[in-house]
Amino acid sequence: MSPVWFIVIGISVMLLLAMAIVLFVVFYQRRVIAHQQQLNSFNQQKEKELTEAAIHAEEEERNRIAAELHDDVGATLASVRLYLRMADKEGAGSEAFTQSQHLIDETINKVRSLSHRLQPAMLQKLGLQMALHSFFEVFNKSGVLRIDYDGDALPVLDENKSLAIYRIMQELVNNTLKHAGADMVEVHAEKNDGVLQICFSHNGQQGIAQERFQEYIYKKNATGLKNIVNRLKVLNGSISFEKENNWYHTIISTPL
Amino acid sequence: MLYKLIYYLSILSPLPAIIIAGRRRSVLWYYVLMSFLADITSYILREYKLPHAAVSNTFMLAEFVLLTAYFKRALLGDKYRNQYIAIVGLLSVWFIINSFSRINGSASDADGMNYFFTSFFYILYLLLSLFCFYKIMKSERLVNLAHSSLFIISVAILLYASGSYMLFLFKPYLERINLEMMRRFWFYLFLPLNILKNILIAIALYNDRRFAQ
């Protein structure tokens, strides 16, 4: 065999080896990426399950506290009120006595209100739309905040979704009262291509900007916002923020 | 005719990389610029039948310095700067001394080009490319290979050096025993590999520009 052919074979072998190495690197990297994607997907699923479990545990605890408030504390206060009325009839009508009755009435109302906030009975009995309407009416009647609610497009949702959206609305109203300095809120729900969108808008001095949302999430005291984000994660939903004409809009989207 | 076409394409192949890089003057940009200037100069010297060994040897040395600088930064970052300068400096001096003896006709290469050292450099480039592949595979950060200029440059240099190493090692021998075969290797192997290398460098520079913005 001519020496030239050895050179030809040598060059061919080197080129083939080089191409084999390149292909090996490409296929190896693809495998690594696929494995990483699988791992990320698994981690996301686990995180979602953990969040769901945490939320479920929180709701169970709220239900338990609400039930004990209503059944135990509420019942005891009602008994105290009954005895005070009996004592009043027997002629113990001093001013301190009358004040005590007023305070007991006020306490019973507060306990009832707290119990309903912890365990919204209307949500379970009449559905999300009525529960939100009732919740917003409390603020309208108090005069602290005026809430215009348009929930006609709100469809019938399952218990978990309804509860999650109810809690989100509660958090948004609480945050608005605590931080925004607003006197008007508008809540508008609409359905688009299998996605429920609820727009919560207020005219306060302070609000969340989309660019700073991630920053807020990691703040120590942003528990309300974190709760909203966690509940949305479980629903595979999303949240976004806009500002237009001095109104702050929070848009919650969740697939139906 | 085909030989001429391949030859001209090879001379012009660095131009896309030079244009694409724009104002981003990196080591690779200087490398393709040197490649273009060396090819143009060699072509002109050949046309006027003047010796061009010095130009070729100068380009080989510049290629060595620039490519090792690129690989050094990619593999080691800013570490071992002094050691790198010392090793490259020593090898460069050795190359220059060796090349002078060949140009003066005292060594075996008839046209004065330093093929032995060039082959040695190509083995070095091969090894450096393999180290780059290893680094990419071991990277904790997932690398999208299509966007990775390091991967593309490593492929370019690996293929170029693999095909050219043995050719340059045996070029003087082949020219003595079978000049026609040598011409075929040069025009059908080395020059297309050169074109491929420059195209891949252009793609890598384009990626750098695109993903840096």
Side-chain angles (χ1 to χ4, degrees):
Chain A
M1 206 178 193
S2 159
V4 171
W5 285 108
F6 286 114
I7 296 169
V8 171
I9 289 166
I11 292 172
S12 308
V13 164
M14 286 199 74
L15 271 173
L16 282 170
L17 268 173
M19 284 192 274
I21 288 168
V22 171
L23 285 172
F24 172 76
V25 172
V26 168
F27 286 123
Y28 177 85
Q29 196 70 2
R30 273 195 196 167
R31 229 186 73 180
V32 166
I33 289 174
H35 178 72
Q36 191 64 35
Q37 279 172 350
Q38 217 177 27
L39 209 62
N40 286 344
S41 171
F42 178 76
N43 283 339
Q44 273 171 12
Q45 181 62 26
K46 282 293 156 200
E47 202 185 307
K48 192 175 159 185
E49 282 173 16
L50 274 170
T51 308
E52 260 184 60
I55 290 171
H56 184 72
E58 192 187 310
E59 291 298 330
E60 291 273 313
E61 188 65 11
R62 283 185 189 212
N63 286 344
R64 192 186 65 78
I65 294 170
E68 289 202 19
L69 271 176
H70 184 269
D71 299 342
D72 197 351
V73 178
T76 308
L77 287 172
S79 303
V80 170
R81 183 172 59 179
L82 192 62
Y83 279 115
L84 281 174
R85 279 188 188 152
M86 282 167 60
D88 191 29
K89 277 182 186 165
E90 287 168 11
S94 69
E95 199 181 308
F97 195 80
T98 317
Q99 242 337 66
S100 302
Q101 276 188 301
H102 286 147
L103 283 170
I104 291 288
D105 284 339
E106 201 181 307
T107 308
I108 288 174
N109 286 337
K110 280 184 183 172
V111 166
R112 193 179 288 139
S113 167
L114 184 59
S115 170
H116 284 162
R117 280 218 304 275
L118 285 171
Q119 186 195 44
M122 198 173 282
L123 182 68
Q124 287 156 8
K125 289 176 188 152
L126 298 175
L128 179 62
Q129 190 168 344
M130 289 309 295
L132 282 177
H133 181 80
S134 167
F135 174 64
F136 294 143
E137 266 310 294
V138 168
F139 294 94
N140 284 332
K141 280 180 184 159
S142 71
V144 167
L145 194 61
R146 187 178 144 201
I147 303 181
D148 284 337
Y149 170 53
D150 173 17
D152 289 343
L154 214 56
V156 174
L157 301 170
D158 63 59
E159 195 183 313
N160 289 335
K161 242 180 208 156
S162 300
L163 183 60
I165 291 173
Y166 184 84
R167 293 289 182 219
I168 289 170
M169 289 296 124
Q170 270 187 316
E171 289 290 357
L172 286 173
V173 170
N174 285 341
N175 282 348
T176 304
L177 279 171
K178 271 194 267 183
H179 306 295
D183 56 13
M184 263 205 70
V185 167
E186 288 177 4
V187 180
H188 174 73
E190 63 181 31
K191 224 171 37 168
N192 282 328
D193 295 328
V195 173
L196 174 66
Q197 251 186 6
I198 303 176
C199 182
F200 182 98
S201 313
H202 69 79
N203 66 347
Q205 308 298 322
Q206 287 183 43
I208 299 175
Q210 184 68 37
E211 312 82 66
R212 300 195 65 189
F213 167 55
Q214 289 298 327
E215 198 185 304
Y216 284 127
I217 286 284
Y218 291 108
K219 260 178 148 171
K220 267 187 186 168
N221 299 331
T223 336
L225 196 56
K226 282 178 198 162
N227 281 342
I228 293 173
V229 169
N230 283 340
R231 287 182 190 277
L232 281 171
K233 258 191 207 165
V234 172
L235 300 178
N236 293 324
S238 63
I239 187 168
S240 61
F241 304 91
E242 286 170 16
K243 188 181 174 187
E244 203 183 325
N245 298 333
N246 295 327
W247 277 73
Y248 288 91
H249 307 281
T250 304
I251 299 141
I252 307 287
S253 302
T254 171
L256 290 168
Chain B
M1 184 63 194
L2 184 60
Y3 281 179
K4 280 210 160 161
L5 177 65
I6 294 171
Y7 185 44
Y8 293 146
L9 279 175
S10 176
I11 292 173
L12 297 173
S13 61
L15 281 179
I18 294 168
I19 295 165
I20 281 171
R23 287 188 187 164
R24 295 173 65 83
R25 305 278 156 88
S26 61
V27 168
L28 287 175
W29 185 84
Y30 286 110
Y31 170 62
V32 288
L33 181 68
M34 289 274 337
S35 174
F36 177 67
L37 292 174
D39 284 344
I40 284 279
T41 312
S42 292
Y43 172 73
I44 294 168
L45 290 172
R46 277 206 182 94
E47 288 297 301
Y48 287 101
K49 298 198 181 355
L50 294 168
H52 56 87
V55 174
S56 303
N57 287 336
T58 307
F59 172 69
M60 294 302 176
L61 182 62
E63 183 182 56
F64 167 67
V65 171
L66 291 169
L67 284 182
T68 49
Y70 174 79
F71 281 119
K72 185 253 168 206
R73 196 188 293 172
L75 290 169
L76 301 171
D78 291 328
K79 291 192 283 188
Y80 307 113
R81 195 160 174 257
N82 295 336
Q83 290 90 326
Y84 161 75
I85 291 170
I87 292 169
V88 166
L90 273 169
L91 284 171
S92 302
V93 167
W94 192 6
F95 177 88
I96 292 167
I97 293 170
N98 198 261
S99 301
F100 266 114
S101 67
R102 289 170 194 278
I103 288 173
N104 290 337
S106 59
S108 58
D109 301 335
D111 58 2
M113 284 180 65
N114 197 337
Y115 295 114
F116 172 75
F117 248 96
T118 304
S119 308
F120 168 71
F121 286 160
Y122 282 147
I123 283 286
L124 195 62
Y125 303 151
L126 257 166
L127 291 171
L128 290 171
S129 307
L130 292 175
F131 275 126
C132 285
F133 285 142
Y134 177 74
K135 186 182 175 186
I136 289 168
M137 290 198 311
K138 281 292 168 191
S139 171
E140 283 175 5
R141 197 170 57 86
L142 283 179
V143 176
N144 183 343
L145 294 180
H147 298 163
S148 166
S149 59
L150 179 61
F151 174 74
I152 295 170
I153 297 292
S154 301
V155 170
I157 301 301
L158 180 70
L159 291 173
Y160 174 66
S162 305
S164 309
Y165 159 67
M166 286 193 81
L167 187 66
F168 274 77
L169 193 62
F170 294 106
K171 188 171 188 278
Y173 170 75
L174 275 172
E175 278 177 340
R176 273 204 307 276
I177 65 162
N178 195 336
L179 186 61
E180 184 51 34
M181 182 65 93
M182 183 57 230
R183 274 168 65 87
R184 281 188 194 159
F185 274 135
W186 192 259
F187 284 95
Y188 292 138
L189 177 67
F190 176 72
L191 292 182
L193 282 175
N194 188 44
I195 294 168
L196 176 66
K197 176 199 68 171
N198 288 324
I199 290 171
L200 288 173
I201 291 177
I203 294 171
L205 288 171
Y206 174 72
N207 277 344
D208 271 346
R209 192 171 143 180
R210 190 169 143 212
F211 295 108
Q213 282 167 358

